Amino acid sequence: QSVLTQPPSVSGAPGQRVTISCTGSSSNIGAGYDVHWYQQIPGKAPKLLIYANSNRPSGVPGRFSGFRSGTSESLTITGLQAEDEADYYCQSYDSSLSGGVFGGGTKLTVL
Amino acid sequence: QLHLQESGSGLVKPSQTLSLTCAVSGDSVSGGSYSWTWIRQPSGRGLEWIGHISHSGTTRYTPSLKSRVTISADRAKNQFSLNLTSVTAADTAVYYCARVVVLGSLMYFDHWGQGTLVTVSS
């Protein structure tokens, strides 16, 4: 059971927009700690997609954006492409562990 | 360009010690401002942070594994290692090494190795 909670799956047609939520508790997201997102293509290592809630590393398309509202964090992908089909994980810092915690992952299917 | 490469035994017997090494090129495990971490992923499941070692050698471990885990660094070889003792089948997973950006409570993993599968079985 993961510390952060994500929907198990989402789907969308090419060109559409999808949003993946990530919720936590008072020892992580609820405490105001930053949230980061990773993309994992099946069989590959995770790749940093968004850091510190809304920042994209160099090379990540602008179609990927992160948004924080209070204690809730979300990843939005606009203009869906077939290559976006992957698992997406959120991650934050947890004060009770003094370390990193992840969500259970969300499988994105591009219809 | 930063590159991380895991190596080690892919098959470990129950109750024995899992040992992995991550060779780093393109950065220094001791000379920069980053930390270096191990993360694992059981087949079909999510990611679990195991622990990390800072550039100065300070370590942090997840509480559930703390009694069995040691992460160390070899400055001369520019690599860091994971030792996990008394393994069981529950420790079977793909193990990733990664670089960590750590600034107080800001903590994220910006570069990852390709991962290595470790199976615990007799």
Side-chain angles (χ1 to χ4, degrees):
Chain A
Q1 187 174 351
S2 301
V3 175
L4 306 181
T5 301
Q6 300 178 232
S9 63
V10 297
S11 62
Q16 286 189 334
R17 181 178 83 170
V18 296
T19 296
I20 299 171
S21 63
C22 177
T23 58
S25 67
S26 58
S27 62
N28 43 71
I29 297 177
Y33 298 130
D34 289 322
V35 176
H36 323 286
W37 292 91
Y38 303 85
Q39 178 192 59
Q40 186 177 33
I41 305 291
K44 301 292 186 182
K47 168 192 167 185
L48 180 66
L49 201 63
I50 298 287
Y51 66 95
N53 306 315
S54 58
N55 298 279
R56 286 186 305 276
S58 174
V60 174
R63 304 184 291 104
F64 296 91
S65 60
F67 178 74
R68 181 166 198 145
S69 175
T71 59
S72 178
E73 178 72 23
S74 61
L75 171 71
T76 296
I77 309 170
T78 57
L80 267 181
Q81 299 182 5
E83 65 200 49
D84 298 334
E85 193 160 283
D87 295 320
Y88 292 84
Y89 292 90
C90 61
Q91 176 254 317
S92 186
Y93 175 84
D94 191 286
S95 58
S96 63
L97 275 65
S98 295
V101 289
F102 289 93
T106 298
K107 181 177 180 59
L108 168 63
T109 300
V110 180
L111 302 171
Chain B
Q1 185 177 355
L2 179 62
H3 183 71
L4 299 93
Q5 180 67 58
E6 303 91 346
S7 63
S9 176
L11 180 63
V12 183
K13 288 182 168 53
S15 80
Q16 294 192 343
T17 297
L18 178 160
S19 296
L20 296 174
T21 295
C22 182
V24 178
S25 59
D27 197 354
S28 170
V29 299
S30 59
S33 58
Y34 297 98
S35 294
W36 305 88
T37 194
W38 289 97
I39 292 164
R40 69 182 182 179
Q41 183 175 35
S43 178
R45 297 177 61 184
L47 301 161
E48 179 184 26
W49 172 75
I50 297 171
H52 67 247
I53 185 167
S54 74
H55 59 91
S56 62
T58 302
T59 54
R60 289 270 179 88
Y61 303 124
T62 191
S64 63
L65 297 174
K66 189 174 182 179
S67 63
R68 299 195 290 130
V69 171
T70 303
I71 296 176
S72 59
D74 185 328
R75 297 183 177 192
K77 294 183 178 179
N78 204 37
Q79 63 188 30
F80 62 105
S81 299
L82 168 71
N83 274 4
L84 181 64
T85 62
S86 304
V87 297
T88 69
D91 296 309
T92 294
V94 174
Y95 286 74
Y96 295 100
C97 62
R99 190 175 74 172
V100 195
V101 174
V102 181
L103 289 172
S105 61
L106 176 66
M107 176 182 175
Y108 61 91
F109 315 104
D110 68 342
H111 286 87
W112 298 61
Q114 65 183 24
T116 187
L117 174 63
V118 177
T119 301
V120 178
S121 175
S122 54

